[in-house]
Amino acid sequence: MEFFETVKNRCSVREYEDKPIETPAFHRMIDAARLAPTARGEQPWEFIVITDAGRLKELGKICPNGKFLAGAAACVIVVSKITKYYLEDGSAATTQLLLAARALGIGSCWIAGDKKEYADHILELMEVPSGYKLVSLISLGYPKEGFHPHEKRSVEEVMHTGTFST
């Protein structure tokens, strides 16, 4: 899919077909994520791929806004070394993974990680060493009912030239 069409048609998907994602697709998504912009070239991110149905159900129980993980084909957990810009770097990587998933025809949904009450529990469950923060959990799967992007504000509504008030 062409880049601007991918961006335009990316949306959150929370219902998935019962169909596995092949390993090469994970490699492509993680490859896109690792190429994200990073402050000072630190590349502090790590990506944990979960495909086990039992683990996905467990994650769905832990994350109140991510109950749909139980029906996903996979979850990628983005963690970052604690650096000055860990959240920005991890968020950039998360965004690129979401776009790569869409380009591959895979649905996704960003589930918050940083500052959530379950963050430490997820880190412990995933055996992440100290010195890391949970940035995001990304559910993945083939959409049960296709992709349905929400209407977004127009460029004219959000673009300001010179100052905010113009």
Side-chain angles (χ1 to χ4, degrees):
M1 182 178 287
E2 191 263 344
F3 176 75
F4 289 99
E5 282 301 307
T6 299
V7 171
K8 183 178 177 182
N9 292 301
R10 196 224 58 83
C11 60
S12 294
V13 174
R14 293 177 179 86
E15 291 186 59
Y16 305 101
E17 292 181 3
D18 185 16
K19 178 181 173 184
I21 298 169
E22 299 296 323
T23 301
F26 288 114
H27 284 267
R28 292 188 76 190
M29 289 183 283
I30 300 300
D31 193 37
R34 75 172 182 85
L35 294 171
T38 174
R40 303 185 292 211
E42 290 185 337
Q43 305 175 54
W45 43 63
E46 302 289 337
F47 308 94
I48 305 165
V49 179
I50 307 296
T51 57
D52 177 75
R55 298 300 301 264
L56 292 166
K57 285 179 185 164
E58 187 175 11
L59 290 169
K61 288 178 184 173
I62 294 169
C63 304
N65 294 326
K67 293 183 188 325
F68 53 89
L69 278 165
C75 176
V76 173
I77 299 171
V78 181
V79 299
S80 181
K81 290 179 193 166
I82 299 172
T83 64
K84 184 173 183 178
Y85 299 107
Y86 78 90
L87 188 55
E88 291 87 343
D89 288 350
S91 294
T94 297
T95 298
Q96 289 201 187
L97 195 147
L98 294 170
L99 290 171
R102 179 61 187 97
L104 294 169
I106 297 169
S108 62
C109 187
W110 183 332
I111 303 164
D114 188 60
K115 300 176 187 74
K116 289 298 207 176
E117 66 282 350
Y118 53 74
D120 288 339
H121 186 188
I122 299 283
L123 293 173
E124 183 180 315
L125 186 66
M126 295 298 120
E127 301 176 14
V128 177
S130 63
Y132 285 83
K133 288 278 202 173
L134 175 66
V135 175
S136 61
L137 296 95
I138 304 166
S139 65
L140 296 166
Y142 294 97
K144 200 174 243 185
E145 297 183 18
F147 294 92
H148 303 286
H150 293 281
E151 190 68 29
K152 300 287 185 171
R153 294 167 55 202
S154 71
V155 172
E156 292 76 20
E157 289 179 85
V158 300
M159 185 173 154
H160 308 272
T161 304
T163 65
F164 187 90
S165 61
T166 57

